Amino acid sequence: LDMVDATVQHAPEMIGDIIKVQLFCGCRAGELLSARTADIDQAGPGGCWILRPERHKGSWRGHDRNILLGPKCQLILRRYLTPDEPERILSRPCDTPCAKARPGLKFRNHYTVDTFDIAIARAAIRAEVRHWSSHALGRLAARTAEHELSLEKARSFLGHKGADLTAMYAGLNVDAAAEVAKKIG
């Protein structure tokens, strides 16, 4: 977590905000990077918002994806919502101060996982921390949710069908693996 915090301090504001939201909600980077105002239901249960990405990993199987956004996510995302343009993607590099200061350059319509990971890598270099990517945020969110609550609640939070995937993400089998390694390794 210290590595992530240090990276956020050295990242452009929008990148830092995307990192924080991904960490707080446990979603995949691609789900967040392609989010539009139209994809967010602000009347979710318990005061949470629900992000329902148009496309996600399980959409080809007909699965629904509901990403719950708590108060920390809402506070960050409010700045990027565009109710007058609900189809507009929230993570738009062309809306950043850097893009506005350099009008001759062309910027993508939105960040991709690759461009997001490049921005994370650059910020990590500036922060003088070990390289990491957006995929690490899902694992960190899983560990945090399991530690703070329970494996079952972490599973629900992350939208996993089975607890085995959540356990893998949360790294819960380290003690069991050590026991096996002692016996056979």
Side-chain angles (χ1 to χ4, degrees):
L1 194 54
D2 292 339
M3 197 167 58
V4 173
D5 290 338
T7 303
V8 167
Q9 296 300 318
H10 290 84
E13 183 179 20
M14 184 179 284
I15 296 297
D17 286 346
I18 296 168
I19 290 169
K20 289 185 268 186
V21 171
Q22 188 183 355
L23 180 61
F24 296 151
C25 72
C27 69
R28 291 175 191 87
E31 295 168 334
L32 186 57
L33 294 169
S34 63
R36 306 165 302 157
T37 300
D39 299 328
I40 298 174
D41 176 359
Q42 296 183 27
C48 288
W49 293 354
I50 302 174
L51 168 60
R52 293 184 177 98
E54 185 177 36
R55 286 180 303 280
H56 58 85
K57 184 177 176 180
S59 59
W60 68 276
R61 292 184 175 142
H63 294 168
D64 292 329
R65 178 78 167 118
N66 296 309
I67 301 162
L68 274 82
L69 305 169
K72 292 177 185 177
C73 293
Q74 293 171 23
L75 187 63
I76 294 166
L77 290 174
R78 270 193 181 95
R79 294 184 302 201
Y80 300 100
L81 295 176
T82 54
D84 52 325
E85 296 179 74
E87 300 299 317
R88 185 176 178 178
I89 292 177
L90 304 181
S91 69
R92 295 173 49 90
C94 54
D95 292 340
T96 63
C98 176
K100 291 175 182 170
R102 302 168 80 182
L105 292 179
K106 289 195 174 207
F107 287 83
R108 291 179 182 258
N109 184 36
H110 67 91
Y111 286 101
T112 64
V113 175
D114 289 339
T115 58
F116 180 48
D117 282 340
I118 289 168
I120 290 172
R122 289 177 179 161
I125 289 168
R126 286 191 296 275
E128 298 179 357
V129 297
R130 185 172 54 83
H131 172 80
W132 60 278
S133 71
S134 61
H135 301 293
L137 295 170
R139 294 183 186 280
L140 187 53
R143 282 189 214 110
T144 302
E146 188 278 330
H147 177 74
E148 295 291 323
L149 298 163
S150 69
L151 178 61
E152 179 56 27
K153 288 182 180 179
R155 184 198 64 75
S156 295
F157 171 68
L158 296 170
H160 294 159
K161 298 287 183 205
D164 55 339
L165 181 59
T166 307
M168 182 190 75
Y169 267 78
L172 297 178
N173 294 324
V174 174
D175 293 335
E179 185 178 313
V180 173
K182 283 181 188 176
K183 287 187 178 186
I184 66 169

